[in-house]
């Protein structure tokens, strides 16, 4: 079975703190794709990053960085020097790839509240 | 370039009624997927359409149906509404159905409240 677990329901930090959002996934596929999306209060899911299972290099984009470790089936997301605008629900997702359907399997999300 | 658009933004219905939600994908995208997100949960897959054909269906009852038009826009229909159908309905588009480059881009969603 394919599954994504985001054990942190809510995280509250003060502006400028670093924060890491955890994501653990389960899949039997050897080829798979992992995603992070941001959902602000408006509701729209904003794509942040896609990672394929063959690329374990960490990625940095401005204040955002991602740590992908196949050995622990984790794909964690770190925000450095958090800002109030980072407040949102963040979802980790696994793409069920191949066959007749390609669908995203989402975790339950982590609500990040950045206090000024 | 315009992103994924959805209409209406909000909708209030009563139990037993029918609802139609609409989605226009990003220009050039041929695949549209629908997701239901109930409060406090992650989105759940409902349907995927590619080139006007249904390519996948999630674990939803037959009251849910969808279609994709020649211009790749899509409609999601829900019959005999139940209170539990209250949710945010998200549409996502992607360039191709099965590609290593596939990323699903989401619209702003339609918030449906069933009373």
């Amino acid at each position: 079975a394919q599954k994504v677990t985001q054990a942190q329901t809510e995280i509250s930090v003060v502006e400028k703190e670093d924060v890491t959002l955890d994501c653990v996934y389960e899949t039997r596929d050897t080829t798979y794709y992992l995603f992070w999306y941001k959902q602000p209060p408006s509701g729209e899911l904003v794509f942040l990053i896609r990672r394929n299972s063959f690329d374990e290099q960490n990625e940095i984009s401005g204040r955002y960085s991602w740590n992908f470790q196949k050995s622990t089936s984790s794909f964690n997301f770190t925000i450095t020097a958090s800002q109030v605008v980072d407040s949102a629900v963040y979802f980790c997702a696994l793409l069920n790839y191949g066959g007749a359907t390609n669908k995203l399997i989402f975790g339950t999300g982590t609500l990040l509240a950045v206090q000024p | 370039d315009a992103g994924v658009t959805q209409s209406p933004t909000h909708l209030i219905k009563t139990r037993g009624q029918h609802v139609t939600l609409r989605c226009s994908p990003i220009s050039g995208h041929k695949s549209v997927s629908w997701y239901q997100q109930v409060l406090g949960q992650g989105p759940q897959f409902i349907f995927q359409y590619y080139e006007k054909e249904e390519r996948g269906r999630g674990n939803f009852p037959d009251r849910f149906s969808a279609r994709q038009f020649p211009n790749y826009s899509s409609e999601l229909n829900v019959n005999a509404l139940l209170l539990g159908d209250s949710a945010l309905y998200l549409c996502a588009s992607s360039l191709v159905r099965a590609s290593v480059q596939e990323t699903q881009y989401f619209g702003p969603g339609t918030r449906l409240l069933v009373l």
Side-chain angles (χ1 to χ4, degrees):
Chain A
Q2 302 199 325
K3 185 179 179 182
V4 175
T5 301
Q6 294 180 258
Q8 304 153 308
T9 305
E10 294 185 33
I11 300 177
S12 182
V13 299
V14 177
E15 208 169 17
K16 298 184 182 178
E17 285 185 19
D18 299 347
V19 58
T20 295
L21 310 181
D22 298 333
C23 173
V24 174
Y25 62 92
E26 296 176 30
T27 181
R28 294 182 180 178
D29 295 338
T30 55
T31 300
Y32 52 91
Y33 295 82
L34 296 163
F35 298 79
W36 276 95
Y37 286 87
K38 174 182 180 180
Q39 188 174 44
S42 62
E44 181 172 353
L45 281 170
V46 178
F47 165 72
L48 297 177
I49 190 171
R50 177 189 69 245
R51 196 37 127 218
N52 74 58
S53 53
F54 297 109
D55 183 1
E56 288 194 71
Q57 284 191 348
N58 292 331
E59 183 160 339
I60 298 174
S61 176
R63 297 184 297 106
Y64 295 170
S65 63
W66 291 269
N67 184 311
F68 176 33
Q69 292 193 344
K70 288 179 71 173
S71 60
T72 56
S73 296
S74 65
F75 185 42
N76 296 337
F77 173 31
T78 297
I79 302 175
T80 302
S82 60
Q83 300 176 3
V84 173
V85 294
D86 296 327
S87 297
V89 180
Y90 290 86
F91 289 97
C92 181
L94 172 68
L95 183 67
N96 183 320
Y97 175 72
T101 306
N102 290 318
K103 64 179 181 181
L104 287 169
I105 298 168
F106 287 87
T108 51
T110 297
L111 173 61
L112 174 63
V114 182
Q115 309 296 333
Chain B
D1 288 343
V4 178
T5 59
Q6 292 186 242
S7 64
T9 56
H10 296 79
L11 205 51
I12 299 175
K13 293 285 188 178
T14 57
R15 282 177 297 175
Q17 285 189 312
H18 163 271
V19 67
T20 297
L21 310 181
R22 296 177 175 83
C23 171
S24 292
I26 293 170
S27 178
H29 284 195
K30 299 182 179 181
S31 181
V32 170
S33 299
W34 287 94
Y35 292 81
Q36 180 196 64
Q37 185 181 16
V38 300
L39 197 63
Q41 298 293 320
Q44 298 290 317
F45 173 77
I46 309 175
F47 285 110
Q48 185 176 70
Y49 276 77
Y50 176 66
E51 289 283 13
K52 301 176 287 294
E53 293 187 10
E54 180 182 308
R55 296 296 184 170
R57 182 188 183 108
N59 187 24
F60 281 82
D62 292 343
R63 300 184 295 106
F64 288 76
S65 63
R67 56 180 175 169
Q68 186 176 33
F69 299 99
N71 67 352
Y72 303 108
S73 67
S74 178
E75 284 183 354
L76 175 69
N77 295 283
V78 186
N79 292 323
L81 285 166
L82 303 175
L83 296 180
D85 295 331
S86 297
L88 177 66
Y89 289 85
L90 294 161
C91 174
S93 79
S94 55
L95 189 57
V96 291
R97 180 179 65 86
S99 162
V100 295
Q101 297 300 321
E102 176 171 337
T103 292
Q104 295 186 22
Y105 296 92
F106 285 82
T110 294
R111 294 188 185 274
L112 172 65
L113 176 62
V114 182
L115 300 177

